[in-house]
Amino acid sequence: MSRPIVAVPADIREFDGVTWHAVQNQYIRAAVNAADLMVLIVPAMEDGNDIDAILDRVDGLLVSGSASNVHPSLYGQVARESDGPFDLARDATSLPLIRRAIDRAIPMLAICRGIQELNVALGGTLASEIQEQPGIWDHRKPQNVDRDTMYSIRQSVFVKDGSCLAGIVGPGEVQVNSLHRQAIADTAPRLQVEAVAEDGTIEAVSVIDAKAFAVGVQWHPEYWAETDSPSRKLFAAFGDAVRDYAALWSSCHKPNYRLMAP
Ligand SMILES: N[C@@H](CCC(=O)NCCCC(=O)O)C(=O)O
């Protein structure tokens, strides 16, 4: 069987005076080398997305991190200048893909911005500049350092016993990296918290009653996915879930969801 394919929604980036649809190589490298998958980059479009057309052709969804923030209007708040940078096209592509992948039992791993999009997509809210809150650490990426240092493993998270994540990396303390200034505030009703930092910041969730792998993490397992054990285990579990989905549908035609009731 050929390698299953995961969709990765792109960011909109501007350089050389041109608008690009971009995904950082670390996500692609982790999907290919640690999960043994192929990747299809999905362009970020503010409108005109045909979500089922995309999901009909892939076996999983990998939602990457990004320096941009989910627009506050998507979780009922007024956007302040300090809440940016924004990427409306990414929001308009990622959130429907997340909702529909859950509906269709397509395996999904959401990372950093991805867990925030997952929470907002299912009705939750986000907190900004969390380091300014009393008792909350500075989870932001270190500045003026090389990328290995920026993504260095430097924080403990505590995986809840009996959680989906505990079944992958084990319960208890796990060492991870941290590069974010937002975090889940109100947890969406369909999400269960799977790991927290020592300061209480939500670090991982899973979708309650999901029919497939549906996990979000606030840290970046993709960066060290080939060398760090918890990172590699998470990507291997995601890869296995995607292969199971692909095997299920390879033996029978995928239903055409566009013909089914919305
Ligand atoms: N913007 C959100 C999500 C953070 C995130 O995805 N970080 C990845 C950093 C990528 C980079 O800057 O290279 C937040 O800040 O919480």
Side-chain angles (χ1 to χ4, degrees):
M1 182 172 88
S2 56
R3 278 203 273 190
I5 296 174
V6 290
V8 181
D11 293 349
I12 291 292
R13 289 295 170 100
E14 309 285 345
F15 46 84
D16 290 344
V18 177
T19 298
W20 300 72
H21 297 259
V23 172
Q24 291 175 321
N25 183 51
Q26 62 209 53
Y27 299 95
I28 296 168
R29 195 179 61 221
V32 173
N33 296 341
D36 195 23
L37 301 171
M38 277 289 107
V39 171
L40 272 184
I41 296 174
V42 178
M45 300 196 304
E46 279 197 69
D47 49 44
N49 281 305
D50 185 337
I51 296 300
D52 277 324
I54 296 164
L55 293 177
D56 282 350
R57 290 163 175 80
V58 298
D59 307 296
L61 177 64
L62 175 61
V63 191
S64 72
S66 171
S68 67
N69 292 328
V70 179
H71 198 277
S73 63
L74 294 171
Y75 49 96
Q77 293 181 14
V78 176
R80 301 163 303 178
E81 190 67 29
S82 60
D83 291 331
F86 300 122
D87 186 344
L88 301 183
R90 161 79 189 250
D91 292 340
T93 305
S94 270
L95 270 65
L97 278 171
I98 289 169
R99 293 187 192 103
R100 197 70 178 122
I102 295 168
D103 287 346
R104 292 181 52 171
I106 295 174
M108 173 186 63
L109 175 59
I111 294 172
C112 206
R113 192 195 209 263
I115 187 179
Q116 297 168 4
E117 290 170 311
L118 170 58
N119 190 53
V120 171
L122 297 186
T125 64
L126 303 179
S128 299
E129 305 310 332
I130 58 172
Q131 66 280 351
E132 296 172 2
Q133 294 174 19
I136 302 299
W137 297 354
D138 191 344
H139 292 250
R140 292 174 296 182
K141 62 185 179 185
Q143 297 298 315
N144 307 314
V145 295
D146 64 85
R147 281 190 76 80
D148 282 0
T149 305
M150 187 185 291
Y151 280 82
S152 62
I153 290 176
R154 58 194 180 93
Q155 171 192 300
S156 295
V157 300
F158 298 87
V159 178
K160 295 190 175 183
D161 205 0
S163 64
C164 171
L165 196 58
I168 298 170
V169 301
E173 186 170 359
V174 176
Q175 298 301 311
V176 301
N177 48 24
S178 183
L179 297 93
H180 62 106
R181 48 194 261 248
Q182 293 196 325
I184 291 175
D186 297 321
T187 306
R190 271 204 74 186
L191 294 180
Q192 65 181 20
V193 175
E194 299 239 328
V196 294
E198 285 183 273
D199 63 2
T201 299
I202 293 172
E203 291 282 346
V205 296
S206 67
V207 177
I208 297 167
D209 298 333
K211 303 182 188 70
F213 186 103
V215 173
V217 293
Q218 187 61 73
W219 67 89
H220 287 267
E222 84 288 349
Y223 196 85
W224 301 107
E226 296 171 75
T227 55
D228 169 65
S229 178
S231 302
R232 185 172 190 87
K233 286 176 180 176
L234 183 52
F235 265 84
F238 175 55
D240 289 345
V242 172
R243 272 180 286 283
D244 288 348
Y245 178 87
L248 174 67
W249 293 115
S250 67
S251 55
C252 61
H253 177 62
K254 288 185 185 177
N256 184 331
Y257 282 87
R258 282 175 286 183
L259 299 179
M260 301 171 80

